[in-house]
Amino acid sequence: MRDERREQDARPGAVWAVIASDIGPLLLAATDAGLVTVVFHATDAVRDKALERLGSRLGTEPVEDPAAPLLAEPIRQFRAYFAGERRDFELPLDWSLISGFNRQVLRELAAGVPFGTVVGYGDLARRVGQPGAAQAVGMAMGANPLPVVVPCHRVVESDGGIGGFGGGLETKRQLLALEGVLPEPLF
């Protein structure tokens, strides 16, 4: 019993903050292991639901702390990215919210699809040794707990379509425009 209690006490807590960005408010949450989640459109209702889900998954209630040292570097890098001063995120990531095929695909995406480029769902499936798994890659993109940092916005349809996006197609267009893949909207 004592070991179980010690293990629970040692379980990392999470801190979170909402920051403004060019694509709307973003919720960033981190544990001792690294950035654990990024949530688009972090209005009060979206934020509350995301934090409830995160707390359930981590087994501890996330604490709002915009000044937390665990969030300082993620906040700095997000601001630099949206200011056009950063092309790559160099952050420790907590992969605990994702496993199996989804984790494999997301790690390949993070490592192998640089700023200003795109990859097709099928191409990404081939890269992880599952050439027939384009639809499963799409599901993995939808389950990505770390969008922008693990750039699921860079995954598009092989026929030139933009594909889907959990943050909404306009958000995907904005991110691809920021990276020079798509032209900036005229208005």
Side-chain angles (χ1 to χ4, degrees):
M1 183 76 96
R2 181 180 285 173
D3 288 339
E4 287 177 57
R5 192 171 298 129
R6 198 172 313 143
E7 187 175 305
Q8 279 184 333
D9 292 343
R11 192 176 292 157
V15 292
W16 64 272
V18 174
I19 63 168
S21 80
D22 292 355
I23 56 172
L26 296 174
L27 181 145
L28 306 181
T31 67
D32 289 338
L35 189 66
V36 70
T37 196
V38 176
V39 178
F40 292 117
H41 315 296
T43 60
D44 291 348
V46 170
R47 179 200 66 214
D48 292 348
K49 185 175 181 179
L51 290 170
E52 183 180 317
R53 187 171 49 247
L54 180 61
S56 173
R57 298 283 307 275
L58 295 177
T60 182
E61 185 175 338
V63 175
E64 182 178 16
D65 188 357
L70 293 174
L71 290 171
E73 191 60 16
I75 290 170
R76 188 187 73 72
Q77 288 190 28
F78 267 87
R79 289 185 175 144
Y81 172 81
F82 285 109
E85 300 165 357
R86 174 171 281 282
R87 296 168 64 100
D88 301 304
F89 289 89
E90 297 171 8
L91 297 168
L93 301 178
D94 180 339
W95 292 93
S96 66
L97 299 181
I98 199 128
S99 61
F101 178 78
N102 289 359
R103 184 185 290 193
Q104 181 184 10
V105 169
L106 292 172
R107 283 184 179 266
E108 174 59 32
L109 174 63
V113 183
F115 183 96
T117 66
V118 293
V119 65
Y121 294 94
D123 293 335
L124 194 51
R126 280 188 284 287
R127 288 185 187 191
V128 297
Q130 301 289 329
Q135 191 171 10
V137 166
M139 299 297 286
M141 297 305 103
N144 181 5
L146 295 161
V148 184
V149 177
V150 178
C152 51
H153 61 278
R154 297 180 191 153
V155 183
V156 298
E157 296 174 348
S158 59
D159 66 3
I162 195 168
F165 193 62
L169 292 183
E170 185 54 34
T171 299
K172 186 171 186 172
R173 284 187 191 94
Q174 287 177 288
L175 290 168
L176 291 173
L178 174 74
E179 295 189 7
V181 175
L182 291 176
E184 290 286 341
L186 296 174
F187 44 88

